[in-house]
Amino acid sequence: MDLKVTTLAGKDAGKLSLSDEIFGLDPRDDILARVVRWQLAARQQGTHQAKGRADVARTGAKMYKQKGTGRARHHSARAPQFRGGGKAHGPVVRSHAHDLPKKVRALGLKHALSAKAKSESLIVIDDLVLGEAKTKALIENFAALGLTNALMIGGSELDQNFQRAAANIPNIDVLPIQGINVYDILRRGTLVLSKAAVQALEERFK
């Protein structure tokens, strides 16, 4: 498939042929959902912790004698049914991460890219470079391109001026090609790729 290439100023910069194996697939929601769930699970901190009966500071002495009181049999006041006792089956510190096959992860990225291409939410820019780190100038460029909510993917090394100017703009994310991922692609309305990013993607999936 052919896509028009523009400059950051919105001028025509020719056309670029995109691989149908990467940008021309029929997106599958189930694969995208699996990859997003895998990403968010790995990101989850898992630092939640409740005190169990072994952690609360209460006496371990038997509350009262076993027989003869007419009351239920109890031992420790640390038991969950008592006020101040430990939590039964409470959350513990753990990792929420789970495995996902590499082939599914790679397929998820292809389907996310194809979803943006199919919805016409994919823009290719010749180079993400600014002469000066001026946020106001970059906002004007984005306005000319109609970008208000976008993920910008550059080459292996980002231009420092562009990165600094974009850092202050809300709903605009800038990542190098190494950081491209399904979740960030789907959470932004438009995907903007540099020519270097397209070339790196096609080399990655050869």
Side-chain angles (χ1 to χ4, degrees):
M1 60 182 294
D2 292 334
L3 199 66
K4 186 177 73 172
V5 180
T6 64
T7 64
L8 200 55
K11 297 179 181 179
D12 188 13
K15 288 188 176 182
L16 185 66
S17 180
L18 302 180
S19 172
D20 288 335
E21 295 181 358
I22 303 174
F23 297 93
L25 301 177
D26 189 17
R28 281 180 51 182
D29 291 341
D30 59 325
I31 292 177
L32 295 175
R34 285 182 67 185
V35 178
V36 169
R37 179 174 172 270
W38 168 76
Q39 275 190 247
L40 295 183
R43 181 185 298 186
Q44 192 168 345
Q45 283 186 325
T47 53
H48 40 22
Q49 170 83 39
K51 287 187 176 182
R53 62 185 298 164
D55 303 315
V56 295
R58 299 197 72 182
T59 178
K62 188 170 175 65
M63 300 178 67
Y64 45 79
K65 65 181 184 178
Q66 178 85 346
K67 291 181 171 291
T69 64
R71 300 174 65 186
R73 297 170 290 184
H74 293 301
H75 175 237
S76 173
R78 299 173 185 162
Q81 65 265 36
F82 297 117
R83 183 187 296 272
K87 176 74 174 175
H89 310 297
V92 294
V93 174
R94 67 184 180 92
S95 171
H96 291 267
H98 59 268
D99 292 332
L100 190 68
K102 286 184 179 179
K103 288 184 178 180
V104 178
R105 287 182 250 165
L107 194 60
L109 183 55
K110 290 180 181 179
H111 280 254
L113 294 168
S114 297
K116 289 299 182 185
K118 188 174 182 180
S119 64
E120 297 182 351
S121 300
L122 175 63
I123 296 176
V124 178
I125 291 180
D126 60 346
D127 207 0
L128 301 178
V129 175
L130 279 181
E132 292 182 292
K134 298 292 185 181
T135 300
K136 183 178 180 180
L138 191 56
I139 289 176
E140 292 174 357
N141 289 335
F142 286 169
L145 293 169
L147 298 177
T148 55
N149 188 304
L151 171 65
M152 323 283 290
I153 303 293
S156 57
E157 293 185 8
L158 295 174
D159 179 61
Q160 291 297 318
N161 288 338
F162 182 87
Q163 194 172 11
R164 288 170 182 165
N168 295 326
I169 305 176
N171 301 321
I172 298 292
D173 296 330
V174 181
L175 292 174
I177 187 61
Q178 302 93 316
I180 191 170
N181 64 87
V182 174
Y183 177 69
D184 282 329
I185 289 174
L186 297 179
R187 72 189 286 262
R188 292 300 178 200
T190 306
L191 175 63
V192 180
L193 298 175
S194 68
K195 290 176 71 175
V198 173
Q199 183 179 0
L201 284 170
E202 292 184 346
E203 289 178 358
R204 175 176 174 177
F205 292 119
K206 273 185 179 178

CSV table of all heavy atoms in Angstrom, one decimal, residues 140-203:
chain,number,residue,atom,x,y,z
A,140,GLU,N,2.0,24.8,16.3
A,140,GLU,CA,1.5,25.3,15.0
A,140,GLU,C,1.7,24.3,13.9
A,140,GLU,O,0.8,24.1,13.0
A,140,GLU,CB,2.3,26.6,14.6
A,140,GLU,CG,2.0,27.8,15.5
A,140,GLU,CD,2.9,29.0,15.2
A,140,GLU,OE1,3.8,28.9,14.3
A,140,GLU,OE2,2.7,30.0,15.8
A,141,ASN,N,2.8,23.5,13.9
A,141,ASN,CA,3.0,22.5,12.9
A,141,ASN,C,1.9,21.4,13.1
A,141,ASN,O,1.3,20.9,12.1
A,141,ASN,CB,4.4,21.8,13.1
A,141,ASN,CG,5.5,22.8,12.6
A,141,ASN,OD1,5.2,23.6,11.7
A,141,ASN,ND2,6.7,22.6,13.1
A,142,PHE,N,1.6,21.0,14.4
A,142,PHE,CA,0.6,20.0,14.6
A,142,PHE,C,-0.8,20.5,14.2
A,142,PHE,O,-1.6,19.7,13.7
A,142,PHE,CB,0.6,19.6,16.1
A,142,PHE,CG,1.8,18.8,16.5
A,142,PHE,CD1,2.1,18.6,17.9
A,142,PHE,CD2,2.7,18.2,15.6
A,142,PHE,CE1,3.2,17.8,18.3
A,142,PHE,CE2,3.8,17.5,16.0
A,142,PHE,CZ,4.0,17.3,17.3
A,143,ALA,N,-1.0,21.7,14.4
A,143,ALA,CA,-2.3,22.3,14.0
A,143,ALA,C,-2.5,22.2,12.5
A,143,ALA,O,-3.6,21.9,12.0
A,143,ALA,CB,-2.5,23.7,14.5
A,144,ALA,N,-1.4,22.4,11.7
A,144,ALA,CA,-1.5,22.3,10.3
A,144,ALA,C,-1.7,20.9,9.8
A,144,ALA,O,-2.4,20.6,8.8
A,144,ALA,CB,-0.2,22.9,9.7
A,145,LEU,N,-1.2,19.9,10.6
A,145,LEU,CA,-1.4,18.5,10.3
A,145,LEU,C,-2.7,18.0,10.9
A,145,LEU,O,-3.0,16.8,10.7
A,145,LEU,CB,-0.2,17.7,10.8
A,145,LEU,CG,1.1,18.0,10.1
A,145,LEU,CD1,2.3,17.3,10.9
A,145,LEU,CD2,1.1,17.5,8.7
A,146,GLY,N,-3.4,18.7,11.8
A,146,GLY,CA,-4.6,18.3,12.4
A,146,GLY,C,-4.3,17.3,13.5
A,146,GLY,O,-5.2,16.4,13.8
A,147,LEU,N,-3.2,17.4,14.2
A,147,LEU,CA,-2.8,16.5,15.3
A,147,LEU,C,-3.2,17.1,16.7
A,147,LEU,O,-2.6,18.2,17.0
A,147,LEU,CB,-1.4,16.2,15.2
A,147,LEU,CG,-0.9,15.4,14.0
A,147,LEU,CD1,0.6,15.3,14.0
A,147,LEU,CD2,-1.6,14.1,13.8
A,148,THR,N,-4.0,16.5,17.4
A,148,THR,CA,-4.4,16.9,18.8
A,148,THR,C,-4.1,15.8,19.8
A,148,THR,O,-4.0,16.0,20.9
A,148,THR,CB,-5.8,17.4,18.9
A,148,THR,OG1,-6.7,16.3,18.4
A,148,THR,CG2,-6.0,18.6,18.0
A,149,ASN,N,-4.1,14.6,19.3
A,149,ASN,CA,-4.0,13.4,20.1
A,149,ASN,C,-3.2,12.4,19.3
A,149,ASN,O,-3.8,11.7,18.5
A,149,ASN,CB,-5.3,12.8,20.6
A,149,ASN,CG,-5.2,11.7,21.6
A,149,ASN,OD1,-4.5,10.7,21.4
A,149,ASN,ND2,-5.9,11.9,22.7
A,150,ALA,N,-1.9,12.2,19.6
A,150,ALA,CA,-1.1,11.4,18.7
A,150,ALA,C,0.1,10.8,19.4
A,150,ALA,O,0.6,11.3,20.4
A,150,ALA,CB,-0.5,12.3,17.5
A,151,LEU,N,0.6,9.7,18.8
A,151,LEU,CA,1.8,9.0,19.2
A,151,LEU,C,2.8,9.2,18.1
A,151,LEU,O,2.6,8.9,17.0
A,151,LEU,CB,1.6,7.6,19.5
A,151,LEU,CG,2.9,6.7,19.7
A,151,LEU,CD1,3.6,7.2,21.0
A,151,LEU,CD2,2.5,5.2,19.8
A,152,MET,N,4.0,9.8,18.4
A,152,MET,CA,5.0,10.1,17.4
A,152,MET,C,6.1,9.1,17.6
A,152,MET,O,6.7,9.0,18.7
A,152,MET,CB,5.6,11.5,17.6
A,152,MET,CG,4.6,12.6,18.0
A,152,MET,SD,3.5,13.1,16.6
A,152,MET,CE,4.7,14.0,15.6
A,153,ILE,N,6.5,8.4,16.6
A,153,ILE,CA,7.5,7.4,16.6
A,153,ILE,C,8.7,7.8,15.7
A,153,ILE,O,8.4,7.9,14.5
A,153,ILE,CB,7.0,6.0,16.2
A,153,ILE,CG1,5.9,5.5,17.1
A,153,ILE,CG2,8.2,5.0,16.3
A,153,ILE,CD1,6.2,5.3,18.5
A,154,GLY,N,9.8,8.0,16.3
A,154,GLY,CA,11.0,8.4,15.5
A,154,GLY,C,11.9,7.3,15.2
A,154,GLY,O,11.6,6.1,15.4
A,155,GLY,N,13.2,7.6,14.8
A,155,GLY,CA,14.1,6.5,14.6
A,155,GLY,C,14.8,6.0,15.9
A,155,GLY,O,14.2,6.2,17.0
A,156,SER,N,15.9,5.4,15.8
A,156,SER,CA,16.6,4.8,17.0
A,156,SER,C,17.0,5.9,17.9
A,156,SER,O,17.1,5.7,19.1
A,156,SER,CB,17.8,4.0,16.5
A,156,SER,OG,18.7,4.7,15.8
A,157,GLU,N,17.3,7.1,17.4
A,157,GLU,CA,17.7,8.2,18.2
A,157,GLU,C,16.8,9.4,17.9
A,157,GLU,O,16.7,9.8,16.7
A,157,GLU,CB,19.2,8.6,18.0
A,157,GLU,CG,20.2,7.6,18.5
A,157,GLU,CD,21.6,8.0,18.3
A,157,GLU,OE1,21.8,9.2,18.0
A,157,GLU,OE2,22.5,7.2,18.5
A,158,LEU,N,16.2,10.0,18.9
A,158,LEU,CA,15.2,11.1,18.7
A,158,LEU,C,16.0,12.4,18.7
A,158,LEU,O,17.0,12.6,19.4
A,158,LEU,CB,14.2,11.1,19.9
A,158,LEU,CG,13.2,10.0,20.0
A,158,LEU,CD1,12.4,10.1,21.2
A,158,LEU,CD2,12.3,9.9,18.7
A,159,ASP,N,15.5,13.3,17.9
A,159,ASP,CA,16.0,14.7,17.9
A,159,ASP,C,15.7,15.4,19.2
A,159,ASP,O,14.5,15.4,19.6
A,159,ASP,CB,15.4,15.5,16.7
A,159,ASP,CG,15.9,16.9,16.6
A,159,ASP,OD1,17.1,17.1,16.5
A,159,ASP,OD2,15.1,17.8,16.8
A,160,GLN,N,16.7,15.9,19.9
A,160,GLN,CA,16.5,16.5,21.2
A,160,GLN,C,15.6,17.7,21.2
A,160,GLN,O,14.8,17.9,22.1
A,160,GLN,CB,17.9,16.8,21.8
A,160,GLN,CG,18.7,15.6,22.2
A,160,GLN,CD,18.1,14.8,23.3
A,160,GLN,OE1,17.6,15.3,24.3
A,160,GLN,NE2,18.2,13.5,23.1
A,161,ASN,N,15.8,18.5,20.2
A,161,ASN,CA,14.9,19.7,20.1
A,161,ASN,C,13.4,19.3,19.9
A,161,ASN,O,12.5,19.9,20.6
A,161,ASN,CB,15.3,20.6,18.9
A,161,ASN,CG,16.7,21.3,19.1
A,161,ASN,OD1,17.1,21.5,20.3
A,161,ASN,ND2,17.3,21.7,18.1
A,162,PHE,N,13.2,18.3,19.1
A,162,PHE,CA,11.8,17.9,18.9
A,162,PHE,C,11.2,17.3,20.2
A,162,PHE,O,10.1,17.5,20.6
A,162,PHE,CB,11.7,16.8,17.7
A,162,PHE,CG,10.4,16.4,17.4
A,162,PHE,CD1,9.5,17.1,16.5
A,162,PHE,CD2,9.8,15.2,18.0
A,162,PHE,CE1,8.3,16.6,16.3
A,162,PHE,CE2,8.6,14.8,17.8
A,162,PHE,CZ,7.8,15.5,16.9
A,163,GLN,N,12.0,16.4,20.8
A,163,GLN,CA,11.6,15.8,22.0
A,163,GLN,C,11.3,16.8,23.1
A,163,GLN,O,10.3,16.7,23.8
A,163,GLN,CB,12.7,14.8,22.5
A,163,GLN,CG,12.2,13.8,23.5
A,163,GLN,CD,13.3,12.7,23.8
A,163,GLN,OE1,14.4,12.9,23.4
A,163,GLN,NE2,12.9,11.7,24.5
A,164,ARG,N,12.1,17.8,23.3
A,164,ARG,CA,11.9,18.8,24.3
A,164,ARG,C,10.7,19.7,24.0
A,164,ARG,O,9.9,20.0,24.9
A,164,ARG,CB,13.2,19.7,24.5
A,164,ARG,CG,14.3,19.0,25.1
A,164,ARG,CD,15.6,19.8,25.0
A,164,ARG,NE,16.7,19.1,25.6
A,164,ARG,CZ,18.0,19.4,25.4
A,164,ARG,NH1,18.3,20.4,24.7
A,164,ARG,NH2,18.9,18.7,26.0
A,165,ALA,N,10.5,20.0,22.8
A,165,ALA,CA,9.4,20.9,22.4
A,165,ALA,C,8.1,20.1,22.6
A,165,ALA,O,7.0,20.7,23.0
A,165,ALA,CB,9.5,21.3,20.9
A,166,ALA,N,8.1,18.8,22.3
A,166,ALA,CA,6.8,18.0,22.4
A,166,ALA,C,6.5,17.6,23.8
A,166,ALA,O,5.3,17.2,24.1
A,166,ALA,CB,6.9,16.8,21.5
A,167,ALA,N,7.5,17.7,24.7
A,167,ALA,CA,7.2,17.3,26.1
A,167,ALA,C,6.2,18.1,26.8
A,167,ALA,O,5.5,17.6,27.7
A,167,ALA,CB,8.5,17.3,26.9
A,168,ASN,N,5.9,19.3,26.4
A,168,ASN,CA,5.0,20.2,27.1
A,168,ASN,C,3.6,20.2,26.5
A,168,ASN,O,2.7,20.9,26.9
A,168,ASN,CB,5.5,21.6,27.1
A,168,ASN,CG,6.8,21.8,27.9
A,168,ASN,OD1,7.0,21.1,28.9
A,168,ASN,ND2,7.7,22.6,27.5
A,169,ILE,N,3.4,19.4,25.4
A,169,ILE,CA,2.1,19.4,24.7
A,169,ILE,C,1.3,18.2,25.2
A,169,ILE,O,1.7,17.1,25.2
A,169,ILE,CB,2.4,19.2,23.2
A,169,ILE,CG1,3.3,20.3,22.7
A,169,ILE,CG2,1.0,19.3,22.4
A,169,ILE,CD1,3.6,20.2,21.2
A,170,PRO,N,0.1,18.5,25.7
A,170,PRO,CA,-0.7,17.4,26.2
A,170,PRO,C,-1.2,16.5,25.1
A,170,PRO,O,-1.4,16.9,24.0
A,170,PRO,CB,-1.9,18.2,26.9
A,170,PRO,CG,-2.0,19.5,26.3
A,170,PRO,CD,-0.5,19.8,25.9
A,171,ASN,N,-1.4,15.2,25.5
A,171,ASN,CA,-1.9,14.2,24.6
A,171,ASN,C,-1.0,13.9,23.4
A,171,ASN,O,-1.5,13.4,22.4
A,171,ASN,CB,-3.3,14.6,24.0
A,171,ASN,CG,-4.3,14.7,25.2
A,171,ASN,OD1,-4.3,14.0,26.1
A,171,ASN,ND2,-5.2,15.7,25.0
A,172,ILE,N,0.2,14.3,23.5
A,172,ILE,CA,1.3,14.0,22.5
A,172,ILE,C,2.4,13.2,23.1
A,172,ILE,O,3.0,13.6,24.1
A,172,ILE,CB,1.8,15.2,21.8
A,172,ILE,CG1,0.8,16.0,21.1
A,172,ILE,CG2,3.0,14.9,20.9
A,172,ILE,CD1,0.2,15.4,19.9
A,173,ASP,N,2.6,11.9,22.7
A,173,ASP,CA,3.7,11.1,23.2
A,173,ASP,C,4.7,10.9,22.1
A,173,ASP,O,4.4,10.8,20.9
A,173,ASP,CB,3.1,9.7,23.6
A,173,ASP,CG,2.2,9.8,24.7
A,173,ASP,OD1,2.3,10.7,25.5
A,173,ASP,OD2,1.3,8.9,24.8
A,174,VAL,N,6.0,10.9,22.5
A,174,VAL,CA,7.1,10.8,21.6
A,174,VAL,C,8.0,9.6,22.0
A,174,VAL,O,8.4,9.6,23.2
A,174,VAL,CB,8.0,12.0,21.5
A,174,VAL,CG1,9.1,11.8,20.5
A,174,VAL,CG2,7.1,13.2,21.0
A,175,LEU,N,8.2,8.6,21.2
A,175,LEU,CA,9.0,7.4,21.5
A,175,LEU,C,10.0,7.1,20.4
A,175,LEU,O,9.7,7.3,19.2
A,175,LEU,CB,8.1,6.2,21.7
A,175,LEU,CG,7.1,6.2,22.9
A,175,LEU,CD1,6.2,5.0,22.9
A,175,LEU,CD2,7.9,6.2,24.2
A,176,PRO,N,11.1,6.6,20.7
A,176,PRO,CA,12.0,6.0,19.7
A,176,PRO,C,11.4,4.7,19.2
A,176,PRO,O,10.5,4.1,19.8
A,176,PRO,CB,13.3,5.8,20.4
A,176,PRO,CG,12.9,5.6,21.8
A,176,PRO,CD,11.7,6.4,22.1
A,177,ILE,N,11.9,4.2,18.1
A,177,ILE,CA,11.3,3.0,17.5
A,177,ILE,C,11.5,1.8,18.4
A,177,ILE,O,10.6,0.9,18.4
A,177,ILE,CB,12.0,2.7,16.1
A,177,ILE,CG1,11.3,1.5,15.4
A,177,ILE,CG2,13.5,2.4,16.3
A,177,ILE,CD1,9.9,1.8,15.1
A,178,GLN,N,12.5,1.8,19.3
A,178,GLN,CA,12.6,0.7,20.2
A,178,GLN,C,11.5,0.6,21.2
A,178,GLN,O,11.2,-0.4,21.8
A,178,GLN,CB,14.0,0.8,21.0
A,178,GLN,CG,15.2,0.9,20.2
A,178,GLN,CD,15.6,2.3,19.9
A,178,GLN,OE1,14.8,3.1,19.5
A,178,GLN,NE2,16.9,2.6,20.0
A,179,GLY,N,10.8,1.8,21.5
A,179,GLY,CA,9.8,1.8,22.5
A,179,GLY,C,8.4,1.6,21.9
A,179,GLY,O,7.4,1.7,22.7
A,180,ILE,N,8.2,1.3,20.6
A,180,ILE,CA,6.9,1.2,20.1
A,180,ILE,C,6.2,0.0,20.7
A,180,ILE,O,6.8,-1.1,20.9
A,180,ILE,CB,7.0,1.1,18.5
A,180,ILE,CG1,5.6,1.2,17.9
A,180,ILE,CG2,7.7,-0.2,18.1
A,180,ILE,CD1,5.6,1.3,16.4
A,181,ASN,N,4.9,0.2,21.0
A,181,ASN,CA,4.2,-0.9,21.7
A,181,ASN,C,2.7,-0.7,21.4
A,181,ASN,O,2.2,0.3,21.0
A,181,ASN,CB,4.4,-0.9,23.2
A,181,ASN,CG,3.9,0.4,23.9
A,181,ASN,OD1,2.7,0.5,24.2
A,181,ASN,ND2,4.8,1.4,24.0
A,182,VAL,N,2.0,-1.8,21.6
A,182,VAL,CA,0.5,-1.9,21.2
A,182,VAL,C,-0.3,-0.9,22.0
A,182,VAL,O,-1.2,-0.2,21.5
A,182,VAL,CB,0.0,-3.3,21.3
A,182,VAL,CG1,-1.5,-3.4,21.0
A,182,VAL,CG2,0.8,-4.2,20.3
A,183,TYR,N,-0.1,-0.9,23.3
A,183,TYR,CA,-0.9,-0.1,24.2
A,183,TYR,C,-0.9,1.4,23.8
A,183,TYR,O,-1.9,2.0,23.7
A,183,TYR,CB,-0.5,-0.3,25.6
A,183,TYR,CG,-1.3,0.5,26.6
A,183,TYR,CD1,-2.6,0.3,26.9
A,183,TYR,CD2,-0.7,1.6,27.3
A,183,TYR,CE1,-3.4,1.0,27.8
A,183,TYR,CE2,-1.4,2.3,28.2
A,183,TYR,CZ,-2.7,2.1,28.4
A,183,TYR,OH,-3.4,2.8,29.3
A,184,ASP,N,0.4,1.9,23.7
A,184,ASP,CA,0.5,3.3,23.3
A,184,ASP,C,0.0,3.6,22.0
A,184,ASP,O,-0.5,4.8,21.7
A,184,ASP,CB,2.0,3.7,23.4
A,184,ASP,CG,2.4,3.9,24.9
A,184,ASP,OD1,1.6,4.3,25.7
A,184,ASP,OD2,3.6,3.7,25.2
A,185,ILE,N,0.1,2.7,21.0
A,185,ILE,CA,-0.5,2.9,19.7
A,185,ILE,C,-2.0,3.1,19.8
A,185,ILE,O,-2.6,4.0,19.2
A,185,ILE,CB,-0.1,1.8,18.7
A,185,ILE,CG1,1.4,1.8,18.4
A,185,ILE,CG2,-0.9,1.9,17.4
A,185,ILE,CD1,1.8,0.6,17.6
A,186,LEU,N,-2.7,2.2,20.5
A,186,LEU,CA,-4.1,2.2,20.6
A,186,LEU,C,-4.7,3.3,21.5
A,186,LEU,O,-5.8,3.8,21.2
A,186,LEU,CB,-4.6,0.8,21.1
A,186,LEU,CG,-4.3,-0.4,20.2
A,186,LEU,CD1,-4.8,-1.6,20.9
A,186,LEU,CD2,-4.8,-0.2,18.8
A,187,ARG,N,-3.9,3.8,22.4
A,187,ARG,CA,-4.5,4.8,23.4
A,187,ARG,C,-4.5,6.2,22.8
A,187,ARG,O,-5.1,7.1,23.3
A,187,ARG,CB,-3.7,4.8,24.7
A,187,ARG,CG,-2.3,5.3,24.6
A,187,ARG,CD,-1.6,5.1,26.0
A,187,ARG,NE,-2.1,5.9,27.0
A,187,ARG,CZ,-1.5,7.0,27.4
A,187,ARG,NH1,-0.4,7.5,26.8
A,187,ARG,NH2,-2.0,7.8,28.4
A,188,ARG,N,-3.7,6.4,21.7
A,188,ARG,CA,-3.7,7.7,21.0
A,188,ARG,C,-4.5,7.6,19.7
A,188,ARG,O,-4.5,6.6,19.0
A,188,ARG,CB,-2.3,8.1,20.7
A,188,ARG,CG,-1.5,8.5,22.0
A,188,ARG,CD,-2.1,9.6,22.8
A,188,ARG,NE,-1.4,9.9,24.0
A,188,ARG,CZ,-2.0,10.5,25.0
A,188,ARG,NH1,-3.2,10.9,25.0
A,188,ARG,NH2,-1.3,10.8,26.1
A,189,GLY,N,-5.1,8.8,19.3
A,189,GLY,CA,-5.9,8.8,18.1
A,189,GLY,C,-5.2,8.6,16.8
A,189,GLY,O,-5.7,7.9,15.9
A,190,THR,N,-4.0,9.2,16.7
A,190,THR,CA,-3.3,9.2,15.5
A,190,THR,C,-1.9,8.6,15.7
A,190,THR,O,-1.2,8.9,16.7
A,190,THR,CB,-3.2,10.6,14.9
A,190,THR,OG1,-4.5,11.1,14.7
A,190,THR,CG2,-2.5,10.5,13.5
A,191,LEU,N,-1.4,7.8,14.8
A,191,LEU,CA,0.0,7.3,14.9
A,191,LEU,C,0.8,8.0,13.8
A,191,LEU,O,0.5,8.0,12.6
A,191,LEU,CB,0.0,5.8,14.6
A,191,LEU,CG,1.4,5.1,14.5
A,191,LEU,CD1,2.1,5.3,15.9
A,191,LEU,CD2,1.3,3.7,14.2
A,192,VAL,N,1.9,8.6,14.2
A,192,VAL,CA,2.8,9.4,13.3
A,192,VAL,C,4.1,8.7,13.3
A,192,VAL,O,4.8,8.5,14.3
A,192,VAL,CB,3.0,10.8,13.8
A,192,VAL,CG1,3.9,11.6,12.8
A,192,VAL,CG2,1.6,11.5,13.8
A,193,LEU,N,4.5,8.2,12.1
A,193,LEU,CA,5.8,7.5,12.0
A,193,LEU,C,6.7,8.3,11.1
A,193,LEU,O,6.3,8.9,10.1
A,193,LEU,CB,5.6,6.1,11.3
A,193,LEU,CG,4.7,5.1,12.0
A,193,LEU,CD1,4.5,3.9,11.2
A,193,LEU,CD2,5.3,4.7,13.4
A,194,SER,N,8.0,8.3,11.5
A,194,SER,CA,9.0,8.9,10.6
A,194,SER,C,9.4,7.8,9.6
A,194,SER,O,9.1,6.6,9.7
A,194,SER,CB,10.2,9.3,11.4
A,194,SER,OG,10.9,8.2,11.9
A,195,LYS,N,10.0,8.3,8.5
A,195,LYS,CA,10.5,7.3,7.5
A,195,LYS,C,11.5,6.3,8.0
A,195,LYS,O,11.5,5.2,7.7
A,195,LYS,CB,11.1,8.1,6.3
A,195,LYS,CG,10.0,8.8,5.4
A,195,LYS,CD,10.7,9.7,4.3
A,195,LYS,CE,11.3,8.8,3.2
A,195,LYS,NZ,11.8,9.6,2.1
A,196,ALA,N,12.3,6.8,9.0
A,196,ALA,CA,13.3,5.9,9.6
A,196,ALA,C,12.5,4.9,10.5
A,196,ALA,O,13.0,3.7,10.5
A,196,ALA,CB,14.2,6.7,10.5
A,197,ALA,N,11.4,5.2,11.1
A,197,ALA,CA,10.7,4.3,11.9
A,197,ALA,C,10.0,3.2,11.0
A,197,ALA,O,10.0,2.0,11.3
A,197,ALA,CB,9.6,5.0,12.7
A,198,VAL,N,9.5,3.6,9.8
A,198,VAL,CA,8.9,2.7,8.9
A,198,VAL,C,9.9,1.7,8.4
A,198,VAL,O,9.7,0.5,8.4
A,198,VAL,CB,8.2,3.4,7.7
A,198,VAL,CG1,7.8,2.4,6.7
A,198,VAL,CG2,7.1,4.2,8.2
A,199,GLN,N,11.1,2.2,8.1
A,199,GLN,CA,12.2,1.3,7.6
A,199,GLN,C,12.6,0.3,8.7
A,199,GLN,O,12.9,-0.8,8.4
A,199,GLN,CB,13.4,2.2,7.2
A,199,GLN,CG,14.6,1.4,6.6
A,199,GLN,CD,15.7,2.3,6.2
A,199,GLN,OE1,15.6,3.5,6.3
A,199,GLN,NE2,16.8,1.7,5.7
A,200,ALA,N,12.7,0.8,9.9
A,200,ALA,CA,13.1,-0.1,11.0
A,200,ALA,C,12.1,-1.2,11.3
A,200,ALA,O,12.4,-2.3,11.6
A,200,ALA,CB,13.3,0.8,12.3
A,201,LEU,N,10.8,-0.8,11.2
A,201,LEU,CA,9.7,-1.8,11.3
A,201,LEU,C,9.8,-2.9,10.3
A,201,LEU,O,9.6,-4.1,10.5
A,201,LEU,CB,8.4,-1.1,11.3
A,201,LEU,CG,8.0,-0.3,12.6
A,201,LEU,CD1,6.7,0.5,12.4
A,201,LEU,CD2,7.7,-1.3,13.8
A,202,GLU,N,10.0,-2.5,9.0
A,202,GLU,CA,10.0,-3.4,8.0
A,202,GLU,C,11.3,-4.3,8.1
A,202,GLU,O,11.2,-5.5,7.7
A,202,GLU,CB,10.0,-2.7,6.6
A,202,GLU,CG,8.7,-2.0,6.4
A,202,GLU,CD,8.6,-1.4,5.0
A,202,GLU,OE1,9.6,-1.2,4.3
A,202,GLU,OE2,7.4,-1.0,4.6
A,203,GLU,N,12.4,-3.8,8.6
A,203,GLU,CA,13.6,-4.6,8.8
A,203,GLU,C,13.3,-5.6,10.0
A,203,GLU,O,13.8,-6.7,9.9
A,203,GLU,CB,14.8,-3.8,9.1
A,203,GLU,CG,15.3,-3.0,7.9
A,203,GLU,CD,16.5,-2.1,8.2
A,203,GLU,OE1,16.8,-2.1,9.4
A,203,GLU,OE2,17.0,-1.4,7.3
